[in-house]
Amino acid sequence: MRLRLAALLAAALGTSLLLMPATAMAETTPTPTPTTGGAAPDKNPIVEGANITVTLKDLNAGKGEPKPVPGVSLTVFKDSATGEEQGTQVTDQTGRVSIGIPGNGKYVVVLDPKTLPDGVKLSGKGETTKTVQVKLASSNFVQFQIGAVVVEKASLGSKIIDGTRSGVISGLLIALAALGLSLIFGTTGLTNFAHGELITFGAIATYVFNRGFGLPVIAAGVLAVVASAAFGFLQDRGLWRPLRNRGTGLIAMMIVSIGLALFMRSIFQYGFGGSTKTLSEYVVQGRDSYGPIDLSHKEIAIVLVSVLTIAITCIAMMRTRLGKAMRAVSDNPALSASSGLRVDGVISAVWVLGTALTGLAGVLLAVQQQVNFQMGFNLLLLVFAGVTLGGLGTIWGALIGSLIIGLMVELGPVFGVPASIKEVGALAVLILILLVRPQGILGKAQRIG
Amino acid sequence: MDFGTIIDAAFSAAFGPQAIVFALAAIGLNVHFGYTGLLNFGQAGFMSIAAFGLAVTVVTWDLPFWLGIIVGMIAAVILALILGVPTLRLRADYLAIVTIATSEILRLVFGAVEFKDTFGGSNGLTGFVRPYQNLNPYGGGIDLGIVSFSRNDLWSITVGWSLVALCCLLVWAVMRSPWGRVLKSIREDEDAVRSLGKNVFAYKMQALVLGGLFGGLAGIFHILKQGSAVPTDFNTTFTFYAYAALLIGGAARVLGPVVGSMIFWFLIAGIGSFFSEATKGSSPVIPDWIMTSDQSSLIRLILLGLGLMLLMIFRPQGIFGDRREIAIDGR
Amino acid sequence: MAAELSDARAALAGVSNEPGAPKPDPIITGSNITRTFGGLKAVDVEKIEIQRGVITALIGPNGAGKTTLFNLLTGFDEPDSGQWAFNGTELGKVPAFKVARLGMVRTFQLTKVLAKLTVIENMRLGATGQRGEKFFSAIFKSLWSSQEDANTKRADDLLARFKLDAKREDFAGSLSGGQRKLLEMARALMVDPELIMLDEPMAGVNPALKQSLLGHVKSLRDEGRTVLFVEHDMDMVRDISDWVIVMAQGQIVAEGTPQSVMADQRVIDAYLGAHHDTDITEIDVEDLEAEADAELDAEEKKA
Ligand SMILES: Nc1ncnc2c1ncn2[C@@H]1O[C@H](COP(=O)(O)OP(=O)(O)O)[C@@H](O)[C@H]1O
Ligand SMILES: [Mg+2]
């Protein structure tokens, strides 16, 4: 494996007012194609009007020509790093972000060092902020370098430890959402393509409670989980239960969920906008060393909250009457109904629990990363992969599958999966495992006759 | 507010190249889902592999155009075989997950910076359309009032609608035959078909290949009509839209996907253009605080989502389908 | 007909009543067939032989493993162990469709009609060796239309025999439960099987239809086919079967002619557990039928 010894990072900052050619955005055919998947957007269009445009290039990579650095998150604040946020974007394939600003003044660009690709470190003193003075009267295209520094050679061991850390964290987040999906699938048979939007719902609700109502992030997160649960309850009552009652088939319901996903995602984009935004607290945190592992405080909190929640959910499913009822309905709805269970009530409870778990995944994801109208949609495939890998409809399967998927995604690059498409490894493993064990790791074969 | 613009946009889209791409892709989905009951959510994958098969052959390897077309179509067949072997024996939902995963894998790989030399990275590949455009017999574009097409579009719709007609003819011919009857029976209950001595796996595979070929054709036509092969065009959302088009027209009908695609694009373009007109200018019809011009482009997606839900709930057979014949219920 | 009947029974005259007893002319022979689900041994058959040209009934309480045994024999499920042969051909790993082509066709306990196809299309599907079922010849109607006409004629004859001709153009999904059973049986006959295996053909069928179904099953034997069927209705079993095999908890516990089996203490034990004093013909037939009806209802609701 080739290790990059030194990396030089240069940032070019440009500001301009109405100078960008309008044709860049012109749409010839109306193509409703929001991008999907992938950490880095394929193209960040240059914002019309006043904007700060940053291009990140790695001077040491590429042969002679600096190589763009995609997938790095940059945020612009007014006046100082604690000032009013103007917007956040992730660098596209050309290493570019373009964030709109209201007018003249001092702006601070903050780079999230955690989003830098492996092996690329900021040079100089490792500064993650840059201050820009914007004068709109004349267009200026400022280019400056951050400096150069030698990056320590990353050993294979530390790469594995880093990959495992991020893998476990994303695995746990996927597991929360997968648990929700699996519960709902198990009891109702619904393959819910709108499940990703439940994640986004949790994240956006957190943002609204936090930035909109000014609540601290933790309080906002708790409220967002409650809101998610309420949303799940209403969704079941208002949509899925009536559909079940009129005998709509499972495939028809699956397509309804595709429509619902598109509907909700577009509504989110309508209300929340297309850009990526941050919560007010815990945005950038340094990591402390705990033995060989580096963890930030918020990462510790995320791991604890998700492990506890998953553990409590599993114990509750095993021990409480409601949990047993849920498993009974999931095993055989007709039999449970004839033995006097209130199946509809149990399904309502499953929706509330499932959407609360999924909403929590969104909350934690918002804290861990940022908030975006399609963050859940981008995660959905991995959630599905986790559930399928473990075996459709089994709770333990969903957990194990999700952790495997999380680890595969983050460890893939260590073992040669190109870093810009690290999801590919996990998806390929999913397909290979299904080849050998069609019912998933913990699933059971179905009945015939 | 200019209603002429709106009407032109709607009709031009309904008959234009984009509707053809959807029609071809949806004809493939109709073979998969409508007739055989295979939940292929990776039609975009069949499109992208054929498209890049052509583009890579011509641009990267510098081989002839027609060879590229053949490579593209063969690639689509191979993808069908690779997908089919592990999944066609499994429950329907597994095929759905595996096909989505595969189409995303393909999209990511085609767009990866690491493979830029072969696939062109996120900007994709260009420079393979010359032989296609050289065949264009038209001297210029047309403007018939309610529709207008450029010279290139005129050529594309000539080629495209001819392809659609041929595909429909083929689908019609095979679906009225005993072969088509086996597919429809597999959709209803594959164990019953098995118990009557039919090799269900082989038929599903044939259906997957045939529908995948239509998908591949859609992908090739897509990059020919726009002159570039861009990975992000082939995302899962595209597949969902193609399903929407199919369901609007009615699954398991020969012309369902074609009519559906035209209606889909008529509505998408018409609504899009309406709201863009309504929010345009310094004193727009819809005030800024309700809807900005950025937001206006989202209305069609919101309505599309809502429409798909309502369609599935109240008219699962599509606008022209027969309720008793519709494939989509049960498992 | 009477002569044939006695022929069939005469062939079995010397066969012992022990489970798995060898038959003079077996069409199916099997040994050590086991299938477990989790910890449950659903099928554990040491030896089984089915006599050619007779009607054999497979009875046993619910959950005895009859359907699972059907699934295993016809290739719809894979056993944990065991061998079995049809007409001397080993069927170990043979897939279900090949088993059917060999001439061993089964129906399902929960009927599997193709709801969105018409009755006549359901029937046509059953015909074997259709040229039009190959993709490339399917494209050209002239290559298959004459064969299709012949198949249609045969299908119409069968429909008439099963009194379904009035429903010819109806969607199969619109048929009643009993009519579906009839259609499934008629469709299986389109394959022209040597052995036809019927899984609870009478469940959910109304009494009037039941009588005619009985006649059909008998006529199958008279055509020279072998019939193996699962049934709960003891009257029917006594009425039409030449031989009865009793399963309980996955095992074959007894065999014999209908009369001898119904007097067999092992059978009474198997059905009734501790309640020895009840006559076997009065076992909870009603209950069992009600259960089957409920299953059917559930299935219809799904469809
Ligand atoms: N796919 C399966 N998974 C788990 N258990 C099964 C499965 N199929 C059958 N069984 C169990 O095997 C036993 C035999 O079932 P079955 O063959 O359907 O009985 P019968 O047809 O005699 O009523 C039952 O206890 C049933 O619950
Ligand atoms: Mg049974």
Side-chain angles (χ1 to χ4, degrees), chain A residues 391-408:
Chain A
L392 288 179
T394 67
I395 289 171
W396 296 109
L399 283 181
I400 293 171
S402 306
L403 281 174
I404 294 177
I405 291 289
L407 285 169
M408 286 301 310

Side-chain angles (χ1 to χ4, degrees), chain A residues 445-448, chain C residues 35 37 40 42-43 60-69 109 199-200 230 232:
Chain A
Q446 52 179 330
R447 300 183 74 133
I448 311 146
Chain C
R35 174 68 165 113
F37 294 109
L40 175 86
V43 166
N62 249 354
K66 307 176 296 289
T67 298
T68 309
L69 181 62
Q109 179 172 353
D199 199 347
E200 305 204 9
V230 173
H232 284 303

